[in-house]
Amino acid sequence: MNDPVYEQCIDMFIKEEQHHARILAQMIASMDGTLLTWHWSDLIFIALRRLLHLKTEIFVLLIAEIIGKCFYRVCSAHLEDPLLSDAFSLIVLDELGHLEFHCGFLRSQFEKSPLFVRKFVLFCWSILFYCACYVFVADHKEALIGLDVPPRQFLKDLFTSFRIYSQRSLLLEPKVEPVN
């Protein structure tokens, strides 16, 4: 893609995500936790992002953004420490902006695509999303339980968010008829 404005936006997005990583690292350090230096899911995430082209990378990033938004929202709502709760709330607000930004890009890319293509893309994207969700919940089950959030409820929230954002991204939102 040769769009300097979009490339500048992506650079800003990356800087904001790096800022989130620093905030999260500080939170973990403040609770005497240790940061992971490596996790097998990082390799999968990077490989999938680089698999085909920009659209594929955006689909994979949206998976991480949706899961992150849902998890940070749960942390914000269930942590008793007001500073941590507020920090998670701010990250959630950023993630909402990221989701709208990436969904807008995908909408522009798929607006002329036939319905069957968009539905096929949704099918493939859904498979990746559901796999990522189950891996995330398996890795974070103790944290969810510690936050008093049943993993099944968290999965339900993830699936609802994905349905909304994927339909927006691929122009599959149900038509709403005007009320007379």
Side-chain angles (χ1 to χ4, degrees):
M1 169 172 268
N2 216 355
D3 181 346
V5 173
Y6 186 76
E7 290 174 13
Q8 183 180 14
C9 289
I10 290 293
D11 287 341
M12 290 169 39
F13 162 75
I14 291 168
K15 286 178 183 166
E16 195 162 277
E17 289 298 335
Q18 290 168 340
H19 179 68
H20 292 169
R22 286 190 299 276
I23 291 170
L24 294 168
Q26 289 171 345
M27 288 178 180
I28 291 169
S30 75
M31 295 182 282
D32 296 325
T34 53
L35 296 175
L36 294 177
T37 57
W38 181 86
H39 193 273
W40 64 268
S41 62
D42 284 337
L43 287 177
I44 303 295
F45 178 70
I46 291 166
L48 287 171
R49 276 187 22 234
R50 296 180 179 163
L51 187 62
L52 295 173
H53 48 70
L54 181 61
K55 283 184 248 183
T56 305
E57 184 165 0
I58 299 302
F59 285 122
V60 173
L61 285 173
L62 274 168
I63 290 170
E65 293 285 327
I66 292 168
I67 293 171
K69 177 206 57 121
C70 291
F71 185 66
Y72 300 145
R73 186 182 56 204
V74 161
C75 290
S76 174
H78 293 269
L79 286 172
E80 293 179 14
D81 182 318
L83 289 175
L84 291 176
S85 180
D86 288 349
F88 278 114
S89 290
L90 291 173
I91 293 174
V92 168
L93 289 174
D94 288 343
E95 298 301 341
L96 291 169
H98 298 167
L99 286 163
E100 290 305 319
F101 172 70
H102 291 309
C103 288
F105 170 77
L106 290 175
R107 270 193 308 276
S108 72
Q109 298 297 300
F110 284 96
E111 65 189 354
K112 295 181 180 160
S113 297
L115 181 61
F116 78 91
V117 168
R118 290 180 280 134
K119 285 190 174 190
F120 178 73
V121 168
L122 176 61
F123 174 76
C124 295
W125 189 15
S126 297
I127 292 170
L128 284 175
F129 181 78
Y130 294 130
C131 289
C133 288
Y134 286 110
V135 167
F136 183 88
V137 168
D139 279 353
H140 294 79
K141 188 174 185 174
E142 287 181 34
L144 290 167
I145 291 168
L147 292 166
D148 202 27
V149 176
R152 282 185 184 220
Q153 180 60 48
F154 183 71
L155 283 169
K156 184 179 174 189
D157 292 345
L158 287 171
F159 299 161
T160 299
S161 287
F162 178 72
R163 187 178 68 250
I164 291 166
Y165 289 108
S166 63
Q167 287 178 352
R168 279 188 202 160
S169 297
L170 296 170
L171 302 132
L172 296 170
E173 296 171 290
K175 301 275 189 230
V176 178
E177 297 297 321
V179 178
N180 293 337

